[in-house]
């Protein structure tokens, strides 16, 4: 990394925004370069500062995060955007991804996941919140959002496909090992290679990739 990641936060809830800003200001590889209260302020701010990553709430007064994202990416296509969402905003999350966001987080995400998300999108990866529900994963798969369209074909062994299905069904490494007679360590090794092949960071990413590429059906997630 040539410089600290330059971050902007947009959220109309001042207490949440200030708390997030305080936490991220303590990270040596992240520099907070500005804050905005709504989409209009965000667009105005980006004419005066350079940002690598923007974290923006979905619902804000004057201009929401989705409209701001579409507008922002027309003039600043290099900026990576992370949506900040509540639990009941699945449709808005999908709209945000279709608008060009590189990832999303629920507002109760912990510090480590927030930092992981910032680093992931900065490196041009898609980031799915760990708490992604099966419903949201299915909605993403059926949407116009297609994060795998530029990837070269990925192949998996029969064993990897078996483990992928079990990961998607939320089994732990130990439980998967018990089911298919492998050690926990061996399963974890397979999981690491699977995530690398899919270019995803967590189980939510595995689920979306697997659904998108017909490695598992929606019925198997229920």
């Amino acid at each position: 990394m040539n410089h600290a990641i330059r971050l902007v936060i947009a959220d109309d809830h001042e207490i949440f925004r200030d708390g997030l800003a305080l936490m991220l200001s303590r990270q040596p590889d992240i520099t907070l370069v500005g804050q905005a209260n709504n989409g209009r302020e965000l667009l105005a701010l980006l004419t005066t500062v350079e940002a690598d990553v923007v974290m923006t709430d979905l619902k804000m007064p004057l201009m929401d995060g989705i409209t701001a994202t579409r507008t922002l990416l027309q003039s600043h296509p290099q900026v990576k955007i992370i949506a900040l969402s509540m639990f009941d905003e699945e449709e808005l999350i999908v709209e945000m991804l279709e608008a060009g966001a590189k990832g999303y987080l629920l507002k109760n995400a912990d510090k480590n996941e927030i930092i992981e998300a910032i680093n992931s999108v900065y490196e041009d990866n898609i980031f799915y919140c760990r708490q992604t529900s099966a419903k949201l994963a299915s909605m993403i798969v059926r949407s116009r959002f297609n994060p795998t369209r530029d990837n070269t074909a990925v192949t998996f062994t029969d064993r990897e496909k078996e483990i992928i299905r079990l990961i998607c069904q939320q089994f732990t490494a130990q439980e998967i090992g018990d089911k298919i007679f492998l050690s926990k360590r061996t399963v974890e090794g397979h999981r690491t290679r699977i995530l690398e092949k899919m270019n995803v960071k967590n189980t939510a990413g595995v689920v979306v990739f697997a659904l998108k590429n017909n490695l598992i059906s929606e019925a198997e997630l229920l």
Side-chain angles (χ1 to χ4, degrees):
M1 188 182 299
N2 295 325
H3 61 80
I5 298 172
R6 296 167 297 193
L7 176 71
V8 167
I9 301 171
D11 195 295
D12 61 311
H13 295 93
E14 185 176 0
I15 293 176
F16 172 80
R17 190 179 71 234
D18 287 350
L20 184 59
L22 178 61
M23 182 270 288
L24 292 173
S25 70
R26 297 169 178 162
Q27 305 306 311
D29 296 329
I30 298 172
T31 298
L32 183 64
V33 295
Q35 299 183 48
N37 189 56
N38 56 65
R40 288 186 187 174
E41 285 188 13
L42 173 61
L43 296 179
L45 178 62
L46 266 292
T47 65
T48 63
V49 302
E50 290 189 34
D52 301 305
V53 177
V54 169
M55 301 181 72
T56 178
D57 192 9
L58 291 172
K59 294 180 178 178
M60 295 183 290
L62 300 181
M63 180 184 290
D64 61 59
I66 297 168
T67 303
T69 292
R70 292 193 183 105
T71 306
L72 174 60
L73 291 177
Q74 289 177 5
S75 55
H76 299 78
Q78 78 283 359
V79 174
K80 309 302 190 298
I81 299 175
I82 300 171
L84 296 170
S85 172
M86 303 298 286
F87 277 103
D88 58 348
E89 296 176 341
E90 286 98 343
E91 291 184 5
L92 294 179
I93 291 173
V94 172
E95 281 190 58
M96 191 70 163
L97 292 172
E98 290 181 334
K102 298 289 289 185
Y104 60 91
L105 287 165
L106 293 182
K107 286 192 172 183
N108 65 346
D110 63 34
K111 178 181 75 173
N112 291 335
E113 185 172 19
I114 293 169
I115 294 169
E116 183 182 17
I118 292 169
N119 283 300
S120 294
V121 301
Y122 176 74
E123 295 168 358
D124 206 28
N125 298 312
I126 301 297
F127 188 86
Y128 302 97
C129 182
R130 292 174 194 162
Q131 298 181 64
T132 299
S133 64
K135 174 186 174 184
L136 176 55
S138 297
M139 290 172 67
I140 292 171
V141 169
R142 291 194 296 270
S143 73
R144 297 189 303 274
F145 177 67
N146 185 9
T148 62
R149 61 181 177 274
D150 297 325
N151 291 357
T152 56
V154 180
T155 59
F156 298 95
T157 66
D158 288 341
R159 176 64 87 189
E160 286 173 336
K161 290 178 182 177
E162 184 178 23
I163 292 173
I164 288 167
R165 285 192 293 272
L166 292 169
I167 290 173
C168 291
Q169 293 168 341
Q170 305 297 316
F171 289 105
T172 67
Q174 184 63 63
E175 290 168 338
I176 292 171
D178 292 343
K179 282 179 175 292
I180 61 178
F181 308 106
L182 293 177
S183 70
K184 176 183 176 182
R185 185 172 180 178
T186 299
V187 172
E188 289 172 343
H190 280 296
R191 185 182 188 277
T192 297
R193 286 190 291 276
I194 288 166
L195 265 65
E196 288 174 352
K197 284 185 177 183
M198 292 180 173
N199 193 27
V200 299
K201 298 294 184 180
N202 53 31
T203 298
V206 173
V207 172
V208 174
F209 186 102
L211 285 170
K212 200 84 173 177
N213 293 275
N214 300 311
L215 296 172
I216 193 170
S217 67
E218 292 184 31
E220 292 178 90
L221 296 178
L222 303 177

